[in-house]
Amino acid sequence: MTFGYPVGLGDGASFARFDVSAGALRRFGGWKHGQVVRDDRSGEELAVVGVKREACTREERLWLQPLGSGGREAVSIRAGDVGHLSSVYREGSRTVLKHVELQQAAEEAFAAAEDSDGEDLLLCAQCRLPLSTQTYPDEGGRPLHAECVVQSSLRQARRDERRAELQEAARKRELRRRFGIGWCADKCAAGMGTGMVGVALRGSSMRRVAVSDPVASVCPEYLSAALRARLEEGCEPTFSLDPSPVGPGADGAGREEGSMQVKRFAPAWLRGTSAGEVLFQADYHLKELSMGECRQPVVGMRSCLEYADEECAEGAWRAREWFVVRGAEVWTSDEGLLIPRVRMGVEAREQLLGPGGLEDKTVTSPAHPLVRYAREFTDNFELIAERRSVFHHLRELAKAAVLAKFLLEAGAQVEEIHRPPIGLERRPGWRGGPRRATAARRCRSCGTSGRPAPRGSARGTAGWCRRAAPGGAGCAACLAGCTSAWTAASVNLPAVDHHPPNPDPLEQ
């Protein structure tokens, strides 16, 4: 039974192990470990530590801890001097011996330790093994082996790298919060999750119907945005994240070219809508995945940087990637239900820095890292859309855009689909979006030329035109009047003057 305790005084103390068994202590007067004794010659009180051989003489001695020293350093006495020790009793007692509790020392706290022969050995501060004559100090001056110095440097490098990673992660979290980056349930369209809705068409008359199959469903909010983009701009909703020109940052300091990105929506009123948010978040998350910033959604997928390392590509390269609709069709059931189907993909092109900025390269190699990632992403798009919600919503928006184009080309009465769903009401303070120019021909809804129908019998109780002249064309003002309340209730589009004059920069 051993007890670790320091031997020596001050900084020169070394670690030693003492025998505290009853048999060893019996040879030195039968004292017990921790018992307080008094030296009759000096009157000093000491606590019994244990028995250990003295290094020089190899003589077994009793070691004691002076109680008045204030530190922890055991001193020894010879077997012949044990007779000068006497027991100390507790205060106020003549029968109960006084004991103290000695705290065992840790070997790691000492630069030297005694071996089984009682000789002091200098120990490595890291592995706690004996050192030779050749030692290497660490940052604190403690002696180390040469191998331990290398391991200590590697551990310090890992700690510094981990600290830098945590700081970079905190900086990115702050930037994501500042610029609204990251998809969450709060950014989903209002019609998602409240019941699936489909569109049925009979001739030019169309209506919304409840469906049970998600293949035939369409998000009313996305469809409204797609119809509005088609009616007002003649295009689908699009988005692009482009490099911003060089200029001073928010703190007045300059920034490098390409360090910031600018969000560009077409049409511009997509900013702030659920459809515009889907386009932005999907595009940004695609770039995060391709650069390896996030875990890949499919096991085995590699980022474009991993492809570049595989090919040992040297030098810097520039490229861009974007979502495309590779195939689109609209099926019709026997009941007239429209079922839009799209096949999504990703394309990539290498870019060069030209006189006018970044320009697409004439020919991009199929082995380019970003092209290879885009091809792999396209092959797994359906699985990725099931695992990442933002890509699922992007596909739903593409279905709505395809359906909107089909409805307008089929001559359907789109005002019927623009009626607000049950439970959605007009938002107070809504002033409507940008209206189209007045049509020159006669309106088929209100019967006037370029003016909305007056209130009364020409409008229903909810405020939408009820009359429709066969073969006539609805005037733009009447159509905007019919669709503005739907848009305000479901899409929550901001008014024209609420749009910021310039797109806000986004740090990539």
Side-chain angles (χ1 to χ4, degrees), residues 222-235 237 267 269-270 273 404 408 418 430 432-436 483 487-488 491-496 499:
Y222 295 156
L223 180 58
S224 176
L227 285 172
R228 183 182 176 191
R230 274 282 172 184
L231 290 170
E232 297 180 357
E233 307 292 339
C235 64
W269 50 260
L270 279 174
T273 66
L408 294 179
H418 273 284
W430 169 254
R435 302 175 183 269
R436 301 178 66 193
T483 60
T487 307
V491 185
N492 191 22
L493 296 175
V496 181
H499 296 163

Side-chain angles (χ1 to χ4, degrees), residues 161-238:
E161 183 179 0
R162 178 58 178 169
R163 188 182 303 108
E165 289 177 354
L166 294 176
Q167 293 176 354
E168 180 67 13
R171 187 184 72 88
K172 288 182 178 180
R173 284 195 301 269
E174 174 60 24
L175 290 175
R176 292 174 72 87
R177 182 200 62 79
R178 175 184 174 187
F179 293 108
I181 302 173
W183 182 254
C184 60
D186 297 338
K187 298 178 181 180
C188 295
M192 303 296 287
T194 58
M196 292 183 290
V197 178
V199 177
L201 180 65
R202 286 294 179 88
S204 61
S205 176
M206 55 187 299
R207 67 185 188 279
R208 292 182 298 107
V209 295
V211 296
S212 58
D213 191 347
V215 176
S217 67
V218 62
C219 177
E221 191 165 340
Y222 295 156
L223 180 58
S224 176
L227 285 172
R228 183 182 176 191
R230 274 282 172 184
L231 290 170
E232 297 180 357
E233 307 292 339
C235 64
E236 294 86 3
T238 57

Side-chain angles (χ1 to χ4, degrees), residues 395-477:
R395 185 177 56 186
E396 292 298 314
L397 179 59
K399 287 170 55 178
V402 169
L403 185 58
K405 181 179 180 181
F406 175 83
L407 292 174
L408 294 179
E409 291 180 352
Q413 300 176 6
V414 294
E415 60 269 16
E416 295 294 331
I417 200 63
H418 273 284
R419 295 180 182 178
I422 297 175
L424 293 179
E425 302 176 354
R426 302 188 196 185
R427 297 184 184 273
W430 169 254
R431 291 179 287 177
R435 302 175 183 269
R436 301 178 66 193
T438 303
R441 48 187 174 175
R442 194 172 184 79
C443 177
R444 66 182 180 183
S445 299
C446 62
T448 60
S449 177
R451 297 194 307 273
R455 293 189 177 275
S457 59
R459 289 178 177 265
T461 56
W464 290 280
C465 289
R466 298 299 188 185
R467 296 185 299 178
C475 68

Side-chain angles (χ1 to χ4, degrees), residues 248-321:
D251 56 353
R255 60 172 183 266
E256 297 180 357
E257 182 180 2
S259 63
M260 303 293 289
Q261 303 286 316
V262 174
K263 296 187 285 185
R264 304 189 187 279
F265 294 90
W269 50 260
L270 279 174
R271 182 186 304 274
T273 66
S274 60
E277 190 68 20
V278 169
L279 293 172
F280 161 61
Q281 298 292 350
D283 184 79
Y284 196 90
H285 192 44
L286 173 65
K287 292 175 172 58
E288 286 182 318
L289 291 174
S290 63
M291 292 295 142
E293 289 290 330
C294 303
R295 180 181 299 177
Q296 298 299 325
V298 178
V299 176
M301 284 187 63
R302 293 176 291 177
S303 67
C304 66
L305 299 183
E306 292 175 313
Y307 283 123
D309 293 340
E310 177 184 305
E311 297 178 0
C312 299
E314 298 181 358
W317 50 265
R318 296 180 176 90
R320 66 186 182 99
E321 58 184 344

Side-chain angles (χ1 to χ4, degrees), residues 93-172:
S93 174
R94 298 291 299 173
T95 58
V96 181
L97 299 175
K98 184 177 180 180
H99 286 78
V100 294
E101 183 178 357
L102 299 175
Q103 297 295 330
Q104 189 166 198
E107 185 178 357
E108 293 78 9
F110 298 88
E114 290 187 356
D115 61 3
S116 58
D117 296 331
E119 297 180 356
D120 287 342
L121 296 176
L122 187 62
L123 301 181
C124 175
Q126 180 171 316
C127 64
R128 306 305 301 172
L129 294 177
L131 288 166
S132 63
T133 56
Q134 187 71 24
T135 62
Y136 301 88
D138 63 358
E139 295 179 355
R142 300 178 304 172
L144 298 175
H145 291 109
E147 297 84 355
C148 295
V149 171
V150 176
Q151 294 180 6
S152 178
S153 300
L154 289 176
R155 280 196 296 269
Q156 184 62 37
R158 294 192 189 101
R159 286 194 294 267
D160 294 341
E161 183 179 0
R162 178 58 178 169
R163 188 182 303 108
E165 289 177 354
L166 294 176
Q167 293 176 354
E168 180 67 13
R171 187 184 72 88
K172 288 182 178 180

